[in-house]
Amino acid sequence: MIKEIATTPYSDQRPGTSGLRKKVPIFQQRHYVENFVQSIFDSLTGFAGETLVVGGDGRFYNRDAIQKILKIAAANGFGRAVVGRGGVLSTPAVSALIRSLKAFGGVVLSASHNPGGPDGDFGIKYNVANGGPAPEKVTDAIYARTREITSFRIVEAPDVDIDRLGVTQLGDMRVEIVDSVENYAALMQTLFDFDRIRDAFRGGFTMKFDAMSAVTGPYAHVILEDMLGAAPGTVLNGAPLPDFGGHHPDPNLVHAKHLYDLAMSDRSPDLCAASDGDGDRNLIIGRGRFVTPSDSLAVLAANAHLAPGYRDGVAGIARSMPTSGAADRVAEKLGIGLYETPTGWKFFGNLLDAGLVTICGEESAGTGSNHVREKDGLWAVLLWLDVLAARKQSVDAILRDHWATYGRNYYSRHDYEEVDSDGANALVKSLRDSLPSLKGKRFGALEIAEADDFAYHDPVDGSDSRNQGLRVMFADGSRIVYRLSGTGTAGATLRVYIERYEADPAKQFLETQNALSDLIALSHEIAGIERFTQRKAPSVIT
Ligand code: G16
């Protein structure tokens, strides 16, 4: 039976960089989830009888939210819902399922790399028929709707058993519970040379993959250990836990430091890798060599043709604006397009759909391709594995060769987390106001060539996105970029991205923070970081 239930709007349901992310207790407020989900459906048309994919990273509140979403979807007229067993699907697996089932869209439940648990974070994101995050015009419409919603529609029925594979009926909607891994693993087999990778493992290649007690555990066990023959024990922390074991499932050098330490030790396997809460980010560290996400994008783009799924080459490369320019040099050499977009995977969707780009990446540990419309952590690991197996070289050797060919972009991101929002906003305003006067200013050997507020014009749909990050660009090609995170859930997070290009092979082996030290000092001075945030140093350096 369908019920129409009266509700009152919440004022804080504006989707950020990647859907609505808040602390769990906020989502647990009365009708908070219901309002947002009904607002999603109110912003869409033409889904009567269509298929909706639903799944999340298994974090705390995933199961409760799924029951609500299914009942609201059924009441709103969807014909079929496809749900990963236990409500578990990685973000790229949702994208893959939407595409292979030709579904109308999907709902992804995750707060990505943010901690989980009763006091942790949760999130809801809507993905459209191409498998990617809804574009801004849709998220804007959803937000507008959340501000005026007065009721939602829901089927009154017992909860669906989401742990048993098979089909059940919920009102007029069919609910299919499917294996979380199968469809995704089959897609990976079409892209990579599994025989070649299997041979490498048989020949003694070793790796550790840390699933961080998050969603990629089951995927990695099946693909790396069962299908590719990696030694049992290759996958660490492979059982997904609702609170990620109390850890921060963020595969960076702070939260995956143990992996970094292992890779730098004499016990290092050939490859250390990790993925985040919902499986879309990746960390790649070879024996003795960390690969920055920006370099990883460039190396993968330059070598993708070695994998069967990309043997015809790469049509173009896209990167988010704050991502380093390493990929630009690869695009230049290959004679293909390079697209610079705002932060947020949703901006890659149109470029991928139009066939303008094949590979995309972001400094925030995201890399992906046209196989889905999300970044994809395991995909990046598998492409690295395939390239390593094909070239029969170490990660370090491949990176050195890359820098010798293209030059090295020294790159680091400094995050000031949970700073006071008013202070952070004041910093951005003050810096934005000072942009016109920065051009031509000299700081020692560094001269500011250009300073602006990044704006993006989408070449496919013609839409414009403004205020996407403050760029200070120097005459020698160095850059400092400032922006506020759109994914934090407490206070504000100021991100400062610092980059310097080094063409001289003799100078390509400095420690990164040392290589960037003058720019780092300048990043404080130009924006008055301490004055506005009361912080002398960043909380996370990646
Ligand atoms: C999300 C987005 C990414 C973005 C990242 C960081 O990743 O999908 O496109 O780069 O957030 O965004 P911000 O700098 O605004 O915090 P994820 O892995 O959190 O879904």
Side-chain angles (χ1 to χ4, degrees):
M1 191 182 115
I2 296 175
K3 272 203 150 183
E4 177 115 18
I5 302 201
T7 188
T8 45
Y10 286 91
S11 62
D12 63 347
Q13 296 194 320
R14 181 197 283 279
T17 308
S18 190
L20 184 68
R21 287 190 192 164
K22 303 274 178 200
K23 296 277 175 211
V24 166
I26 293 184
F27 275 104
Q28 286 170 325
Q29 295 173 94
R30 187 174 155 78
H31 297 164
Y32 196 87
V33 169
E34 289 86 341
N35 279 14
F36 190 69
V37 173
Q38 182 66 53
S39 297
I40 295 174
F41 298 153
D42 284 348
S43 310
L44 308 171
T45 51
F47 55 78
E50 296 284 338
T51 299
L52 183 73
V53 176
V54 184
D57 60 12
R59 70 177 59 223
F60 185 86
Y61 207 56
N62 197 38
R63 302 172 71 90
D64 306 65
I66 285 180
Q67 296 296 344
K68 294 181 190 219
I69 292 163
L70 291 177
K71 289 172 189 171
I72 298 172
N76 278 270
F78 276 95
R80 174 167 78 140
V82 176
V83 185
R85 183 178 5 196
V88 169
L89 284 171
S90 75
T91 294
V94 171
S95 189
L97 261 182
I98 293 173
R99 293 170 70 78
S100 49
L101 297 173
K102 299 196 168 22
F104 186 85
V107 183
V108 189
L109 305 166
S110 171
S112 189
H113 52 288
N114 292 357
D119 301 315
D121 291 356
F122 190 72
I124 303 181
K125 180 172 73 161
Y126 181 69
N127 280 24
V128 294
N130 74 354
E136 271 189 336
K137 63 173 188 305
V138 177
T139 55
D140 287 348
I142 294 170
Y143 176 54
R145 183 67 193 147
T146 63
R147 315 241 351 183
E148 57 196 27
I149 188 166
T150 52
S151 67
F152 61 88
R153 291 161 68 76
I154 191 160
V155 166
E156 278 218 320
D159 283 357
V160 177
D161 180 356
I162 57 174
D163 294 308
R164 224 186 25 216
L165 296 180
V167 179
T168 42
Q169 201 67 26
L170 183 62
D172 290 336
M173 186 176 81
R174 181 186 155 92
V175 180
E176 293 175 24
I177 309 300
V178 299
D179 183 87
S180 308
V181 179
E182 210 169 82
N183 176 72
Y184 177 83
L187 176 60
M188 293 301 115
Q189 273 183 296
T190 67
L191 301 175
F192 304 115
D193 189 336
F194 272 40
D195 290 337
R196 177 166 62 192
I197 302 174
R198 209 177 290 121
D199 283 348
F201 279 121
R202 206 176 290 135
F205 185 91
T206 53
M207 87 177 275
K208 291 286 178 202
F209 175 87
D210 192 340
M212 305 190 89
S213 306
V215 77
T216 50
Y219 295 83
H221 277 305
V222 169
I223 296 173
L224 297 175
E225 295 178 349
D226 300 349
M227 297 172 86
L228 292 171
T234 294
V235 179
L236 308 172
N237 300 311
L241 301 173
D243 66 348
F244 310 120
H247 299 299
H248 213 114
D250 191 350
N252 65 22
L253 296 185
V254 174
H255 301 295
K257 180 155 187 312
H258 56 284
L259 214 54
Y260 179 83
D261 292 342
L262 175 66
M264 297 304 143
S265 76
D266 50 14
R267 294 172 296 117
S268 176
D270 295 299
L271 179 67
C272 289
S275 190
D276 69 332
D278 63 330
D280 56 1
R281 297 184 174 207
N282 72 86
L283 171 71
I284 301 289
I285 319 178
R287 181 178 290 130
R289 176 64 64 193
F290 164 64
V291 186
T292 68
S294 296
D295 275 347
S296 183
L297 170 65
V299 171
L300 292 180
N303 290 279
H305 62 276
L306 298 172
Y310 307 93
R311 72 163 64 89
D312 296 336
V314 169
I317 308 171
R319 63 162 173 85
S320 66
M321 181 274 284
T323 304
S324 96
D328 304 28
R329 296 173 189 276
V330 175
E332 199 183 339
K333 184 139 194 226
L334 294 175
I336 57 176
L338 184 286
Y339 297 83
E340 189 177 29
T341 60
T343 295
W345 204 264
K346 58 189 175 219
F347 292 102
F348 294 140
N350 283 342
L351 301 171
L352 290 163
D353 285 351
L356 293 172
V357 305
T358 306
I359 286 198
C360 314
E362 295 187 284
E363 51 68 37
S364 56
T367 337
S369 87
N370 57 358
H371 69 291
V372 288
R373 294 294 180 272
E374 291 278 4
K375 55 186 180 281
D376 188 343
L378 261 176
W379 169 89
V381 174
L382 290 168
L383 182 49
W384 264 101
L385 276 175
D386 211 1
V387 169
L388 290 165
R391 288 184 54 163
K392 299 191 178 6
Q393 287 174 303
S394 68
V395 172
D396 184 47
I398 290 176
L399 211 64
R400 282 168 183 262
D401 178 53
H402 189 90
W403 292 338
T405 309
Y406 299 95
R408 176 173 182 182
N409 291 70
Y410 283 106
Y411 184 85
S412 183
R413 187 177 95 189
H414 287 201
D415 291 338
Y416 299 78
E417 295 177 317
E418 298 192 22
V419 299
D420 174 59
S421 295
D422 291 343
N425 289 327
L427 179 150
V428 169
K429 180 172 184 318
S430 149
L431 185 57
R432 184 177 286 134
D433 291 346
S434 73
L435 290 174
S437 66
L438 285 177
K439 191 173 169 171
K441 269 201 177 163
R442 276 187 164 280
F443 300 87
L446 291 162
E447 180 185 347
I448 298 180
E450 211 63 61
D452 69 5
D453 193 348
F454 181 64
Y456 178 63
H457 179 75
D458 185 311
V460 180
D461 69 12
S463 62
D464 287 292
S465 306
R466 298 183 206 289
N467 303 332
Q468 297 295 327
L470 305 175
R471 302 191 289 185
V472 179
M473 292 166 283
F474 297 87
D476 69 349
S478 300
R479 277 195 324 176
I480 304 174
V481 173
Y482 302 84
R483 57 178 285 282
L484 299 184
S485 159
T487 57
T489 57
T493 293
L494 171 68
R495 301 203 196 284
V496 184
Y497 313 80
I498 301 147
E499 174 178 3
R500 181 167 83 77
Y501 178 67
E502 181 56 71
D504 181 354
K507 297 184 185 156
Q508 286 173 354
F509 298 96
L510 301 175
E511 193 277 320
T512 301
Q513 302 303 312
N514 288 339
L516 296 171
S517 58
D518 53 347
L519 286 160
I520 291 170
L522 213 50
S523 74
H524 287 259
E525 186 180 334
I526 291 176
I529 293 177
E530 190 177 345
R531 183 155 49 94
F532 286 107
T533 68
Q534 276 75 55
R535 299 280 177 86
K536 282 194 194 328
S539 38
V540 178
I541 295 180
T542 47

